[in-house]
Amino acid sequence: MASWAALSPSIVEYFEGEDFYRCGYCKNESGSRSNGMWAHSMTVQDYQDLIDRGWRRSGKYVYKPVMNQTCCPQYTIRCRPLQFQPSKSHKKVLKKMLKFLAKGEISKGNCEDEPMEPTVEDAVSSDFGLINKLDIHCDLKTLNDDLKKSLESEEKKKAKREESNEITHSQDMEEKLGSGEPSCSVKVHTAPQPGSRGADLSKPPCRKAKEIRKERKRLKLMQQNPAGEREGFQAQCQPSSLLPPKTKSNQPKSLEDLIFESLPENASHKLEVRLVPVSFEDPEFKSSFSQSFSLYVKYQMAIHQDPPDECGKTEFTRFLCSSPLETENSPNGPDCGYGSFHQQYWLDGKIIAVGVIDILPYCVSSVYLYYDPDYSFLSLGVYSALREIAFTRQLHEKTPQLSYYYMGFYIHSCPKMKYKGQYRPSDLLCPETYVWVPIEQCLPSLEKSKYCRFNQDPEAVDEGRSKEPDRLQVFYKKAIMPYGVYKQQQRDPSEAAAVLQYARLVGQACSERMLLFRN
């Protein structure tokens, strides 16, 4: 029998209807409207497919704005890092950081292009209060135990059928229910080793071409010196893939050139970026938790004026340390694996910023950023976004399909949130057909109306829509069954409406893979 880890599908609990909240952008007391579900566990592929349909997570709560009804429509935005070129204001921020690290120089005043940092409301308004009010009647351990028993039971039944060669169910039922597994196969992934890391993000990937040329020149002058000869030989024999392309004088510097510009040996400060898995079983995450939490409290109170009781350890853990995503490693995936991570910025031995990110099959998804307000002069919101774009490019080298940087939601009607459109080229997700459209084509329509269908083809439809709801997988009374079987046991008409609404919002593929928990 396959291992339990190999049979672990996403388990979600959907909340019927739409919820109304106070909008964190326009401050309308009940204008924000969304659908939501609690993810007890979720595979990275399922979450990738969900965010490509306009969903987004806040801790384990996964929600989707009701775009044509909410007061401030929130459009999923993604940047294309492979084609990204930093703007003049982006270069200013990177140069400002280099000057600070090299000489300790502090720029006077804030960068005029400094964007509004993402707030708690950028995830979901009144998120902490919402999660505290959710009445989840079951815990994940109980669900896992029940699900495991259900899967084992189905496996035994399947083995009996194969042994006796007797068909006990109709062909239609076998096709829908099968062995109790999701209709799409689940790949076996080995769990990441504790403390495993990707490449050191704080070090430059290679030396600059200018330095290489200097070494070659020095080699000519030191031909009689064996030590110098060896040094020059080593420089020339580096693999070409590790050397940056020779830039022409009129060609702009790449993002990596600007970030990893070499510092003098006597630099005033040292910045190190560490990628830490979000797991209390990880020693580095555990050892830095206290410092990371203290930084979060300082940030929330200073930047967002949160009272102490709204940024406690419980809220911090639920919002930024509790993730439904299951860590996955794949031979062709990134070395660090897939899942949820904290990208910690260590300056001279202390954490000054933390970027919370999800690494998914096709993208790096930015979740949140908090930083030390004492270092606001470094424009850490812009700097961290640029580092995350560069990190996406780095992951792409090993994993070619991982080529996008998701920045959460773009809210055109909120001036403070329009800064995300400055990272180009970027695309917005059409809220009706779920295709990506370049932001330049969307902006004229958004100037006229808050809610827009970006797909200009009037005949186009949602290709991933739910077409066969009876194939939706339900986890009910410790058993997995297709909705076609489940609905025969239900007499409440509101239950059918809730399940069909869920199917419409998550799409056919996710509805067949994920288990919808019903009690």
Side-chain angles (χ1 to χ4, degrees), residues 279-509:
S279 169
F280 285 99
E281 295 179 1
D282 182 86
E284 194 164 349
F285 180 82
K286 196 173 180 179
S287 65
S288 61
F289 178 83
S290 179
Q291 188 180 164
S292 184
F293 168 62
S294 298
L295 176 65
Y296 166 79
V297 174
K298 184 177 182 180
Y299 170 80
Q300 291 296 133
M301 293 179 67
I303 303 298
H304 301 305
Q305 289 77 50
D306 282 1
D309 61 333
E310 288 186 13
C311 47
K313 191 170 289 185
T314 300
E315 287 77 14
F316 172 67
T317 302
R318 282 179 172 171
F319 180 41
L320 299 174
C321 304
S322 180
S323 169
L325 300 185
E326 298 177 357
T327 55
E328 296 181 16
N329 274 1
S330 169
N332 299 321
D335 293 334
C336 57
Y338 299 107
S340 298
F341 298 83
H342 281 189
Q343 206 164 43
Q344 301 173 339
Y345 294 75
W346 290 75
L347 181 69
D348 302 330
K350 75 169 187 176
I351 303 176
I352 64 164
V354 177
V356 184
I357 61 173
D358 293 330
I359 299 179
L360 304 174
Y362 307 127
C363 73
V364 169
S365 175
S366 176
V367 177
Y368 198 68
L369 171 78
Y370 54 99
Y371 60 86
D372 190 332
D374 295 342
Y375 294 90
S376 294
F377 62 88
L378 289 174
S379 305
L380 291 170
V382 177
Y383 183 77
S384 64
L386 295 172
R387 288 293 298 244
E388 287 171 7
I389 290 172
F391 179 50
T392 306
R393 286 156 65 138
Q394 178 186 333
L395 295 179
H396 172 78
E397 292 180 8
K398 166 79 187 299
T399 311
Q401 69 270 23
L402 203 164
S403 56
Y404 295 102
Y405 173 57
Y406 284 47
M407 297 177 282
F409 289 136
Y410 174 81
I411 305 169
H412 192 76
S413 57
C414 179
K416 293 178 181 179
M417 298 304 295
K418 290 168 71 172
Y419 73 88
K420 294 181 181 181
Q422 298 171 5
Y423 297 86
R424 298 191 181 183
S426 57
D427 309 301
L428 297 183
L429 186 67
C430 175
E432 295 181 12
T433 61
Y434 303 112
V435 296
W436 294 97
V437 181
I439 192 170
E440 294 85 358
Q441 297 178 25
C442 305
L443 294 179
S445 299
L446 287 171
E447 288 294 333
K448 299 174 184 177
S449 173
K450 289 194 296 185
Y451 173 75
C452 299
R453 170 193 166 109
F454 299 136
N455 193 327
Q456 297 301 308
D457 180 2
E459 303 297 323
V461 296
D462 170 17
E463 296 295 341
R465 66 190 182 280
S466 175
K467 300 172 186 175
E468 298 179 81
D470 281 0
R471 293 177 63 87
L472 179 150
Q473 295 293 298
V474 179
F475 188 40
Y476 177 63
K477 289 186 176 180
K478 303 182 181 181
I480 300 169
M481 62 188 73
Y483 177 64
V485 174
Y486 171 75
K487 69 181 181 181
Q488 294 174 10
Q489 307 176 28
Q490 304 301 311
R491 295 182 180 178
D492 184 358
S494 65
E495 176 68 3
V499 174
L500 293 177
Q501 183 185 56
Y502 159 83
R504 175 176 58 82
L505 294 172
V506 303
Q508 186 69 34

Side-chain angles (χ1 to χ4, degrees), residues 5 53 66 106 117 130 144 151 165 168 207 241 263 279 304 320 322 334 366 370 375 405 418 421 426 455 483-484 513:
R53 291 184 65 81
V66 183
I106 298 177
E117 300 300 339
L130 168 68
N144 281 348
L151 292 171
N165 248 346
T168 56
R207 287 178 292 174
S241 60
L263 296 171
S279 169
H304 301 305
L320 299 174
S322 180
S366 176
Y370 54 99
Y375 294 90
Y405 173 57
K418 290 168 71 172
S426 57
N455 193 327
Y483 177 64
R513 286 198 306 258

Side-chain angles (χ1 to χ4, degrees), residues 26 51 68 125 162 185 221 265 283 291 295 301 360 373 411 444:
C26 70
I51 62 174
N68 59 351
S125 184
E162 289 176 353
S185 60
L221 298 174
E265 290 183 6
Q291 188 180 164
L295 176 65
M301 293 179 67
L360 304 174
I411 305 169

Side-chain angles (χ1 to χ4, degrees), residues 207-214 216 243-247:
R207 287 178 292 174
K208 290 174 67 66
K210 187 177 180 181
E211 293 176 3
I212 303 294
R213 289 196 296 272
K214 282 184 179 179
R216 288 173 180 166
L243 295 175
K246 293 184 179 180
T247 57

Side-chain angles (χ1 to χ4, degrees), residues 126-199:
S126 306
D127 177 71
F128 297 149
L130 168 68
I131 292 178
N132 286 331
K133 289 176 184 175
L134 291 178
D135 186 15
I136 307 298
H137 297 286
C138 54
D139 58 68
L140 184 55
K141 185 180 185 305
T142 304
L143 276 177
N144 281 348
D145 290 343
D146 291 346
L147 181 56
K148 187 176 181 180
K149 288 176 184 176
S150 174
L151 292 171
E152 287 175 347
S153 173
E154 291 298 333
E155 284 292 331
K156 287 177 182 176
K157 289 178 184 178
K158 183 181 177 183
K160 274 188 179 181
R161 287 197 301 269
E162 289 176 353
E163 201 173 304
S164 61
N165 248 346
E166 291 178 6
I167 300 175
T168 56
H169 297 298
S170 69
Q171 186 177 352
D172 181 60
M173 269 296 293
E174 286 197 53
E175 185 182 328
K176 292 175 180 176
L177 184 56
S179 64
E181 300 179 35
S183 59
C184 293
S185 60
V186 181
K187 294 181 181 178
V188 180
H189 300 285
T190 55
Q193 296 298 318
S196 62
R197 300 288 179 273

